[in-house]
């Protein structure tokens, strides 16, 4: 079997998505998600100028060798752009593998360990009362786990919280805009918020919170410690994970579970965190972390240390990635939870999906491969629109971490 061609489809049904489509001489094609929010075009350029020409003629069934060709074989390793491209290639090849063998992806990576995937919703409120209201709405929809984010008193823009209270979309049209941040105000407010949320909804619902890397290690340790009475499912990205050792400080002070890694792209971003058991959940998604081939190795490695998955699943990852993530998490033993923010209806005009939400869980059908298809005619109706994630400054103007 041979790869005969591949192309990159860029579409913007409400937001940008990049999809890699790989063709074979057997008339079978595979799809991979190559979307990197705000950096779509560099991934497209790498795929078109380097990866696709190198793929032509290769046997698509050799997923392991092709993965190493693009990872080990390339002198300039890693980085989000290259790893997103590699992820899309790997995902498309596993899609082809499933179609060739006429079986859903989960059967190729261990079969079913469960029938449905617990997912968490987002409740993003402009203030405390609005956040309680939003959490109530998600609970009514049947979610068993809810991520709680709120505008912070005294901070003009809180990342991920839309001022008009519409759907979540952190990327804004054009170049990056600036948001301003005040950690002291944030740290004073968040424990009060969770106290109120627990008081309102009781202990029978999983609560999560995303710090978006905005604390130093000692600030994060304080937050994790003060949130302990509210028994979070996890505290996400409490610090910038570049300094893996920073997570030691949090562990020393608190039993609040920690999730990290939606911006990671290699096992080497995780090695200290896993072997020293400094975290509890792997956030790195299939579409940025090297695809199924790499994540299977990382999650098996994490499993030895009793660390579970909690893959990134925001709406800037496409339905192809979401379906692949459901298959993947159906199969592995150490599944924890999956993030689920439903895409807008327009997205489902372009992508034909094979999963559905039911009472707090996602279920997927038995279509061979990943099971999602793209309607290219519809995709062509929505051209790429430049949009960027914001940058973050402290209130005195100092550039700050994400
Ligand atoms: O593109 C960036 C978003 O995907 C990210 O900000 C979402 O932090 C996020 C999350 O946990 O879903
Ligand atoms: Mg996050």
């Amino acid at each position: 079997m041979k790869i005969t061609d591949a192309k990159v489809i860029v579409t913007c049904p409400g937001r940008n998505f990049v999809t890699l489509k790989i063709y074979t001489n057997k008339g079978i094609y595979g799809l991979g998600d190559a979307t990197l929010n705000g950096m779509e075009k560099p991934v497209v350029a790498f795929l078109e100028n380097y990866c696709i020409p190198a793929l032509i003629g290769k046997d698509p069934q050799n997923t392991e060798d092709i993965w190493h060709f693009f990872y080990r074989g390339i002198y300039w390793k890693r980085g989000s752009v290259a790893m997103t491209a590699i992820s899309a290639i790997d995902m498309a090849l596993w899609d082809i593998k499933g179609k060739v063998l006429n079986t859903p992806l989960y059967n190729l990576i261990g079969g079913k360990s469960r029938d449905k995937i617990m997912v968490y919703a987002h409740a993003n409120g402009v203030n405390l009362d609005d956040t309680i209201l939003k959490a109530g709405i998600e609970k009514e929809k049947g979610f068993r786990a809810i991520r709680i984010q709120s505008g912070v008193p005294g901070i003009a823009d809180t990342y991920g919280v839309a001022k008009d209270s519409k759907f979540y979309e952190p990327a804004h049209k054009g170049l990056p805009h600036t948001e301003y941040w005040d950690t002291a105000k944030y740290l004073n407010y968040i424990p009060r918020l969770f106290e109120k949320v627990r008081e309102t909804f009781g202990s029978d619902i999983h609560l999560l919170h995303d710090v978006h890397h905005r604390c130093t290690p000692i600030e994060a340790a304080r937050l994790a410690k003060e949130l302990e009475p509210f028994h979070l499912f996890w505290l996400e990205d409490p610090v910038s994970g570049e300094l893996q050792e920073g997570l030691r400080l949090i562990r020393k002070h608190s039993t609040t579970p920690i999730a990290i890694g939606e911006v990671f792209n290699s096992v080497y971003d995780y090695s200290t965190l896993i072997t020293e058991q400094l975290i509890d959940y792997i956030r790195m998604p299939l579409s940025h972390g090297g695809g199924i081939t790499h994540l299977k190795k990382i999650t098996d490695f994490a499993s030895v240390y009793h660390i579970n998955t909690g893959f990134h699943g925001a709406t800037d990852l496409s339905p192809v990635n979401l379906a692949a993530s459901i298959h993947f998490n159906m199969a592995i033993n150490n599944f924890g939870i999956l993030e689920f923010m439903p895409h807008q209806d327009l997205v489902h005009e372009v992508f034909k999906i094979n999963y559905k939400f039911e009472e707090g869980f996602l279920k997927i059908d038995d279509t061979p491969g990943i099971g999602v298809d793209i309607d290219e005619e519809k995709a062509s109706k929505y051209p790429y629109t430049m949009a960027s994630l914001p940058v973050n400054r402290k209130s005195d103007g100092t550039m700050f971490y994400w």
Side-chain angles (χ1 to χ4, degrees), residues 131-319:
T131 308
I132 300 285
L133 188 86
K134 297 283 167 48
I137 293 170
E138 298 309 315
K139 191 165 179 280
E140 278 303 302
K141 290 181 193 162
F143 282 98
R144 321 278 169 109
I146 305 177
R147 187 185 96 148
I148 305 289
Q149 304 296 127
S150 167
V152 177
I155 302 183
D157 301 291
T158 306
Y159 176 73
V161 177
K163 276 203 178 125
D164 54 8
S165 188
K166 276 208 272 167
F167 56 84
Y168 173 94
E169 179 49 77
H172 294 244
K173 302 255 175 305
L175 290 167
H177 71 280
T178 304
E179 291 182 348
Y180 292 91
W181 182 247
D182 188 322
T183 311
K185 289 190 167 63
Y186 168 76
L187 287 177
N188 286 337
Y189 173 63
I190 295 299
R192 275 198 286 130
L193 170 71
F194 275 87
E195 187 178 17
K196 186 72 186 164
V197 174
R198 271 285 175 236
E199 206 181 287
T200 311
F201 299 106
S203 55
D204 208 20
I205 182 132
H206 297 306
L207 300 179
L208 302 84
H209 180 65
D210 193 346
V211 184
H212 293 299
H213 324 101
R214 292 191 176 180
C215 286
T216 63
I218 196 66
E219 288 165 349
R222 167 185 154 190
L223 181 63
K225 189 172 164 179
E226 291 185 4
L227 287 174
E228 259 177 29
F230 314 116
H231 297 151
L232 266 59
F233 187 94
W234 79 35
L235 188 65
E236 176 187 339
D237 288 339
V239 289
S240 160
E242 288 160 329
L243 180 67
Q244 294 193 27
E245 294 85 342
L247 273 293
R248 287 189 190 128
L249 206 63
I250 304 173
R251 269 294 201 249
K252 248 185 228 162
H253 292 281
S254 167
T255 56
T256 295
I258 303 296
I260 204 160
E262 70 185 34
V263 300
F264 291 1
N265 51 59
S266 160
V267 65
Y268 299 110
D269 291 326
Y270 269 118
S271 45
T272 303
L273 304 181
I274 291 176
T275 54
E276 293 191 25
Q277 294 169 278
L278 300 178
I279 57 166
D280 303 280
Y281 296 94
I282 301 283
R283 286 283 290 153
M284 195 165 83
L286 298 176
S287 60
H288 299 154
I292 290 126
T293 299
H294 194 206
L295 258 307
K296 184 69 172 79
K297 292 181 170 79
I298 296 171
T299 55
D300 286 347
F301 174 36
S303 161
V304 175
Y305 293 88
H306 298 196
I307 294 166
N308 295 330
T309 60
F311 287 175
H312 185 205
T315 37
D316 48 279
L317 295 107
S318 93

Side-chain angles (χ1 to χ4, degrees), residues 25 39 49 89 99 170 194 231 267 331 379 391:
N25 60 345
M39 296 186 85
N49 297 320
I89 294 167
K99 288 173 178 169
F194 275 87
H231 297 151
V267 65
V391 295

Side-chain angles (χ1 to χ4, degrees), residues 330-380:
M330 293 252 291
I332 60 167
N333 175 264
N334 54 328
F335 165 65
I337 198 165
L338 178 64
E339 181 175 16
F340 176 50
M341 299 169 70
H343 292 105
Q344 292 177 61
D345 292 344
L346 207 54
V347 176
H348 297 138
E349 242 186 53
V350 173
F351 292 94
K352 301 296 156 210
I353 61 170
N354 58 337
Y355 48 81
K356 60 172 189 237
F357 175 78
E358 257 178 38
E359 292 169 14
F361 295 85
L362 278 174
K363 288 185 172 170
I364 199 153
D365 71 19
D366 284 348
T367 309
I370 293 172
V372 169
D373 212 343
I374 187 163
D375 182 331
E376 292 187 51
E377 209 185 299
K378 295 261 170 63
S380 68

